[in-house]
Each structure stands twice: as C-alpha cells, then as structure tokens.
Amino acid sequence: MILKTKSLQNTQTPQAIAGQKQEQDVAFYLRRAFKDHPEVLVINDFRFAFNGEKAQIDHLIIYPYGFVLIESKSIKGYVEVNQQGEWSRSHGSKWFGMPSPIKQVELQQALLKEMLKQHRSEILGKLLGIKQQSFGMRCWDHVCAVSSDAVINRDTMPTAISELLVKTEFLVDKLEKIMNLKSKFMRIINVSDTRPDFNQQELNSITKFLIDRHIDPHQSTSEITLAQTQQINEPVAHFEVNKAVKAKTPAITQSGTHSTLSCKHCGESTNYTPMYGKFGYYIKCNQCTKNTPMKQACPQCQSKNIKIQKRSQSYTLTCQDCSHSSQMI
C-alpha cells in the first residue's frame, strides 16, 4: 500500500532532474508491486528530524517483520567500488569519486531506528501486557537502487556492497527476497522462522507516527504541526518552541496562500486532474483513478461553509464565514 508519493521538486540542474526521475522510476515499481498489498506499506520521500539531525529517505518500506530503506541513485555510465568501499563513476572519458550511497542510507537508518526506539512506548503495546515491545530485534535492511542503464563492475566490488546494489528493474525481486513474506497461517506453523512480527494494528500505529512526523519541504514554518516542531527541536524546551510557532501562525490566515490539496485515497498531491461533476469541483487522481472533492475545511476557522470558484486554470477556496481565501490550484 502506498502511503505517500514522491514530493516533486522544482529542479533546475541536469543532475537534480536525473535524480528526481530515478526516484520516480523506483516509486513506479514499488507502486506496481505493492499498491494492493495491505502488509507492505510504502512511504516515498520521507523527511524527518530527530535529536537535532535531519534526514531524507528516498523510499521507506514497513512490513510485518521490519523495515527496508531504499536509496535511489541516478548513475549514467560506469560505477565501480574498490575494496575499501570507495565509490567512483565515469562521465564521458573521465572518472570521478562520489559519496557512498550505502553509507548515506546507513546513517538515515540509524537515525530512524533511534527515533522509533525513543518513542516505542507511544507506538507499540506491551507483550502480554507486561513487557514493552521495541524495534531492536526487528529486521532492518537497506539497498541502493541505481539507474537501469548504469554499467556496474561487480568483479572488483566487495561482495557485501554488491549484495546491496541493485538495478531499478530488479528491485522488487530483491525486496521480496529480503522481506520473505509468508501468509499468516504459515507464520504460525513455520517454527523455523523466529522473526518477531508486527500485527496490523502495530503496522498502522507505526505508519501513522511516521506520517505525522514527515516534514513537507513545501510547507511554511507557520504550518508545521506540533509533532514536527517537537522532532525538529528535540530535546529543546517545548514552551519556547510553541511560543515561536504561535508567533508566526498569522501567515497561514492571509489571503492568497495555497491550500493543501491531495487525493484522500492514496495521498497523491501533484498528479491529478481538476474536474467538475454533480456535486461540484473535485480532483481525479491520475495515480489511483479515484475522486476527491475540492471542498475542505477553512484553514483559518475550520468552517465547512466554503465555496470553490474557478477562474481560467485557477481554483480558489473562499470561506463564507470568515472571508478567508486560499488558492488551491
């Protein structure tokens, strides 16, 4: 199940454009494989902060036995890794060193694991009502998905790194091998598989916690939620954080600001088509093909007495109670 799609950026440089395309390609394969799977939950482009550090995970999978982090990397030409784990890539006839994407995703994984561990009592229940469950004994895996047209020299590459490096079109096969999912019945009778597993309620609790703490790069400081201010400033005193947030809140009530509009079924926030029907204006999601009404609560007073107006290609929400106006599209 896809819980969050890729947040598209207004990229300018060729490198950034190629990198974003690679992330979209990976998201495409994940969607094709797992969009209808209730126990494989995918969060694309997950951004969070914890203990004064920030991280961005290209693709995060939560499943009954644990977590898989996927680092997307756009690589054209040849890529080599020496016995010291140092990466290099070719561009034309020249070779250049590059940061290790494996080391990068390992740092992200460590921060995510530490954040979940600290908040385990909020997310997971107690085993038999006595022992607090945790995330330490769960499966933690990571892979790097590179462009399908990259040429990988595996002959001189350390085996441990080669196992973590996969071309995009083979990613799903790799993930299925890592996750080694079994039916609920097989989990009960297969005594040789000792992996502890999350139940559906725990999976829902984990993903809700993570989605609540995602930091939208397009979101203004004044729109950041309480959970996000806590994670950005941990362990700074919450009183000062809340005071700073409240001081900036008038920014979201000014006319002309944009309202967040996304598919209520899959969360897609960019790939949709504005439509008009029997019940007024709505968006048709180009990803899951389902409809979502444009009408939403006023971002200023939360009133549902709002009106949607269309002018040329723009759609505007106007509150009939407080007169707040927000451009939606």
Side-chain angles (χ1 to χ4, degrees), residues 48 50-51 53 55 57 69 102-118 140-142:
F48 69 101
F50 175 72
N51 199 23
E53 302 291 338
I57 300 172
L69 287 74
I102 300 299
K103 287 297 182 184
Q104 182 178 349
V105 74
E106 286 175 351
L107 289 173
Q108 297 162 349
Q109 177 177 296
L111 190 64
L112 175 65
K113 190 174 182 179
E114 186 62 29
M115 181 176 72
L116 291 174
K117 179 181 177 181
Q118 179 164 316
W140 287 88
D141 295 279
H142 53 269

Side-chain angles (χ1 to χ4, degrees), residues 260-271:
T260 302
L261 190 60
S262 60
C263 175
K264 67 178 182 180
H265 303 281
C266 70
E268 174 58 48
S269 60
T270 57
N271 189 16

Side-chain angles (χ1 to χ4, degrees), residues 18 21 74-79 89-92 147-151:
K21 182 182 183 304
S74 174
I75 298 178
K76 305 292 183 182
Y78 291 83
V79 56
R89 62 194 297 181
S90 68
H91 183 73
S147 311
S148 297
D149 53 357
V151 180

